[in-house]
Amino acid sequence: MARPIAAKITGIAGYLPPRVLSNADLEKIVETTDAWIRERTGISERHLVDKGVATSDLAVAAARQLLQQTGTAAEEIDLIVTATVTPDMMFPATSCLIQKKLGASRAWGFDLSAACSGFLYALTVGAQFAGAGTHRKVLVIGSDVMSSIIDYKDRNTCVLFGDGAGAALVEPAAAGELGILDFHHDIDGSGAEFLFMPGGGSLHPATHETVNANMHVVHQAGSNVFKYAVRRMAEVACQLLQQNGFSSRDLALVVPHQANLRIIQAMQERLGFDDSKVMINIDRYGNTTAGTIPLGLRDAVAQGRLRKGDLVMLVSVGAGFTTGGMLLRWAY
Ligand SMILES: CC(C)(COP(=O)(O)OP(=O)(O)OC[C@H]1O[C@@H](n2cnc3c(N)ncnc32)[C@H](O)[C@@H]1OP(=O)(O)O)[C@@H](O)C(=O)NCCC(=O)NCCS
C-alpha cells in the first residue's frame, strides 16, 4: 500500500571539504592501486576534512547554502533532523550544535542513526512533521566525517569513504501538490556483525585496551555487505514501483546511495534502468554515508537532470542492516 506524505522537498544543497584524497595518494598509504580502486569500487577521489573540522561544520556549510538558495531565514526553521554516524560528540546531539551555529533560534531537533540510510530515514521523519502541518520548515541533514572513524592502515575500508554533507528543506504540500508519494524502510539486525564500530559505546567504552585493539574504527565484511546491498536495493526499488503502478520507464532519475559503483550497476541491471536515469557521483566523493543521497540530488539539480514533476526514486542500504527507499515527484 502506498504511503504518501503531504510534504515536499523545496531546496537541496551540499558541502564537501576542499581537501581531496586521490587514489594515487592512497597508493602511498596502503598497498593498493588506482586501477584496483577504480575497477572494484568506481571511486577516483574523495574529500576529507582537515583536523578540527567536525560533522556539524559540514552540516552548517550545507545548511547555509540551502537557506540562501531558498531565501529562508535561519529563524524560520522549525525542526532540524540530522542523520549521522559520526556525531561531533556522543552528546549533545549534533542537531543542537547545528542549531546554535546556524542561529536557528526557534528550532528543536534531534539526531538519527541509520548509517547510509540515515538521510532517507531523516527525510521520512522530518516530512511527517511537515505533512502533519505542525511544522512549516524542516531542515533535514545527512552529514558524516567518515575519516574520523576510518583506519587508514586498512585497505579494505579506507579507499571507500569520504567526508561530506547534504541538506534538504522540507515543507508541507497542499492536497494534489507534488511531493513524497511513498516510502519503504526496513531493518535487519542480523546484519549488525558485518559493518560496525565496536568501541566507544556503552558495550565497549573507550579504554587503552579498546584503542590498542583498534575498536574505534569501521569494521566491515565487505562481500556480505555487497551481496545484501545488491539484493535489497533492487527489491525495494522494484516494490516501490510496483505498488504505485509505475514501471522503470516512468522514472526520470534514480538517486542511489553511493557505496560501490558495482552495487549500483547490479541494481540497475536487475531493474533495467539505462545509465541516463541513474545518478552517479561516487567517482568524485566516495561513500559519504548519510551525505550521498542529498549530494546526489544536489548534483542532479545542478546538472539539469531533475525537473519539476519528475518521478524520482531514492534508495539505500546501510549498516544495521538498514534499507530505505522513497518515491517522489520533484516539486520545484
Ligand atoms: C570492499 C569491497 C570494495 C571489496 O571488493 P571485492 O571485489 O568484494 O573484493 P574482495 O573483498 O573479494 O577482496 C578481493 C581481494 O582484494 C583485496 N583488497 C581489498 N581492498 C583492496 C584495495 N584497496 N586494494 C587492493 N586490494 C584490495 C582483498 O584483500 C582481497 O585479497 P585476498 O583475496 O588476497 O584476500 C566490496 O566488497 C564492497 O564494496 N563491499 C560493500 C561495501 C559497502 O558498501 N560498504 C558501505 C555500506 S553502505
Side-chain angles (χ1 to χ4, degrees), residues 175-227:
E177 240 191 318
L178 306 169
I180 298 171
L181 301 179
D182 200 2
F183 66 93
H184 172 88
H185 303 328
D186 58 62
I187 62 173
D188 177 357
S190 64
E193 63 186 286
F194 301 122
L195 182 51
F196 63 111
M197 186 173 81
S202 54
L203 182 61
H204 300 295
T207 60
H208 291 294
E209 288 72 32
T210 63
V211 171
N212 292 340
N214 212 23
M215 289 168 75
H216 298 275
V217 294
V218 170
H219 291 246
Q220 172 170 259
S223 70
N224 297 73
V225 179
F226 189 95
K227 284 181 205 144

Side-chain angles (χ1 to χ4, degrees), residues 32 36 40 116 155-156 159 220 222 257 259-260 262 287 317:
T32 191
W36 191 96
R40 305 308 291 163
C116 297
R155 67 177 183 175
N156 290 290
V159 302
Q220 172 170 259
H257 170 55
N260 185 318
R262 290 187 297 129
N287 180 354
V317 162

Side-chain angles (χ1 to χ4, degrees), residues 57-239:
D57 297 312
L58 304 191
V60 166
R64 285 209 175 107
Q65 280 181 32
L66 179 72
L67 296 185
Q68 203 214 348
Q69 249 167 250
T70 55
T72 307
E75 305 77 41
E76 290 181 82
I77 301 294
D78 298 305
L79 169 63
I80 303 170
V81 187
T82 304
T84 187
V85 288
T86 52
D88 290 24
M89 294 173 259
M90 285 285 279
F91 71 90
T94 309
S95 286
C96 298
L97 308 174
I98 295 168
Q99 185 249 12
K100 169 77 166 54
K101 289 183 191 176
L102 211 52
S105 50
R106 286 182 45 252
W108 70 288
F110 53 91
D111 292 1
L112 183 153
S113 172
C116 297
S117 299
F119 180 79
L120 277 186
Y121 285 18
L123 181 58
T124 307
V125 172
Q128 299 287 357
F129 286 93
T134 55
H135 294 65
R136 308 295 305 171
K137 291 191 190 288
V138 179
L139 177 57
V140 177
I141 294 171
S143 183
D144 272 302
V145 174
M146 292 306 290
S147 61
S148 65
I149 56 168
I150 291 296
D151 176 3
Y152 284 92
K153 289 190 210 71
D154 177 10
R155 67 177 183 175
N156 290 290
T157 51
C158 76
V159 302
L160 300 173
F161 293 94
D163 302 335
L169 187 62
V170 180
E171 300 186 64
E177 240 191 318
L178 306 169
I180 298 171
L181 301 179
D182 200 2
F183 66 93
H184 172 88
H185 303 328
D186 58 62
I187 62 173
D188 177 357
S190 64
E193 63 186 286
F194 301 122
L195 182 51
F196 63 111
M197 186 173 81
S202 54
L203 182 61
H204 300 295
T207 60
H208 291 294
E209 288 72 32
T210 63
V211 171
N212 292 340
N214 212 23
M215 289 168 75
H216 298 275
V217 294
V218 170
H219 291 246
Q220 172 170 259
S223 70
N224 297 73
V225 179
F226 189 95
K227 284 181 205 144
Y228 190 87
V230 167
R231 180 168 65 79
R232 293 298 294 138
M233 291 209 349
E235 282 171 0
V236 166
C238 197
Q239 177 189 334

